[in-house]
Amino acid sequence: PRPSTGPHKLRECMPLIILLRNKLKYALTGKECKYILMQRLIKVDGKTRTDLKYPAGFMDVIGIEKSDEYFRLVYDVRGRFNVHRISKEESTYKLARVKKVEMGAGGIPYVVTHDGRTIRYPDPLIEAMDTVKIELADNKITDIMKFETGNLAMISGGKNTGRVGVIVSREKHPGSFDMVHVKDAMGNIFATRLSNVFVIGKGTKPMISLPKRKGLKKTILEERAERPPKN
């Protein structure tokens, strides 16, 4: 199903029907998904959503209060969405990358985040590319993670999607794409475009729990070595 229009881009989201039927396997058919949603059981970022094709995207929190389950959409190392189970405490906030900081009517400053939120009167320290921690209940910014070297980031696009590492350096290319070099926990360094880098923590401590591979991409040979031998 084609996702509805919503906070996330068409190519970077997952409709709720896929989430419920194919990922969480709570329903077998599209009709069953509809019954689940129409009972108002599913919340995305703390708001009940009843649209089968509602686009849930990177960093969104899916809450099912009836079964007391909470999930966060993050990328796995293969670049696919991972529906990562989180605790109730962690489900109260999300991280959002700041796309731009602007002045609104009457000189009121506001920021626009990657998931389409506009937040007025932000902290003056916030700049584009930084990540803010948003409390979902009142849409307030409670913490800022600057985009700077030494901070932990997750890659949210391109070939390295889902990898997690520390920002090493940023190359500016006027008129082209700025490149960012990132170093993962195993010491591998890789480069990606600035627009694909999503800061997830200060220093090396992530603000969110990571899925099981912790964003480390192994080579095919390394993965083969870990598998039990085929006798």
Side-chain angles (χ1 to χ4, degrees), residues 149-162:
T149 53
N151 279 354
L152 198 67
M154 190 172 204
I155 309 303
S156 65
K159 195 169 252 190
N160 292 313
T161 300

Side-chain angles (χ1 to χ4, degrees), residues 8-25:
H8 291 274
K9 286 191 174 163
L10 177 69
R11 298 265 173 225
E12 296 163 11
C13 68
M14 183 156 74
L16 292 183
I17 174 171
I18 299 286
L19 192 89
L20 288 174
R21 184 181 64 191
N22 304 26
K23 293 280 193 183
L24 298 176
K25 304 203 171 19

Side-chain angles (χ1 to χ4, degrees), residues 111-175:
V111 296
V112 181
T113 62
H114 82 284
D115 55 348
R117 294 165 187 263
T118 50
I119 301 173
R120 298 168 63 179
Y121 296 114
D123 188 310
L125 296 174
I126 297 176
E127 289 165 1
M129 295 303 305
D130 294 347
T131 298
V132 292
K133 180 174 163 186
I134 296 179
E135 290 297 321
L136 294 175
D138 53 4
N139 204 17
K140 292 273 188 297
I141 296 176
T142 52
D143 204 349
I144 316 167
M145 284 149 278
K146 300 291 289 177
F147 177 85
E148 54 199 13
T149 53
N151 279 354
L152 198 67
M154 190 172 204
I155 309 303
S156 65
K159 195 169 252 190
N160 292 313
T161 300
R163 293 179 74 169
V164 171
V166 173
I167 299 168
V168 179
S169 61
R170 168 182 177 177
E171 296 173 13
K172 295 200 174 176
H173 296 287

Side-chain angles (χ1 to χ4, degrees), residues 171-197:
E171 296 173 13
K172 295 200 174 176
H173 296 287
S176 173
F177 296 95
D178 288 12
M179 299 302 282
V180 177
H181 291 271
V182 183
K183 181 178 182 179
D184 69 12
M186 289 158 64
N188 306 328
I189 293 185
F190 54 96
T192 185
R193 285 182 180 176
L194 179 64
S195 56
N196 296 335
V197 179

Side-chain angles (χ1 to χ4, degrees), residues 192-230:
T192 185
R193 285 182 180 176
L194 179 64
S195 56
N196 296 335
V197 179
F198 192 116
V199 183
I200 56 168
K202 296 178 181 169
T204 51
K205 193 171 178 302
M207 280 281 194
I208 52 166
S209 56
L210 296 171
K212 61 175 183 289
R213 289 207 186 132
K214 300 278 184 268
L216 289 181
K217 189 170 193 173
K218 299 196 170 84
T219 59
I220 304 170
L221 293 172
E222 286 172 329
E223 291 193 356
R224 184 179 141 198
E226 287 185 4
R227 274 193 224 117
K230 290 178 182 160

Side-chain angles (χ1 to χ4, degrees), residues 1-10 13-21 30 33-34 37-38 44 49-57:
R2 182 185 167 97
S4 307
T5 48
H8 291 274
K9 286 191 174 163
L10 177 69
C13 68
M14 183 156 74
L16 292 183
I17 174 171
I18 299 286
L19 192 89
L20 288 174
R21 184 181 64 191
C33 295
K34 193 173 179 184
L37 287 169
M38 283 309 173
V44 180
R49 302 289 180 193
T50 56
D51 179 11
L52 274 180
K53 301 190 278 185
Y54 181 83

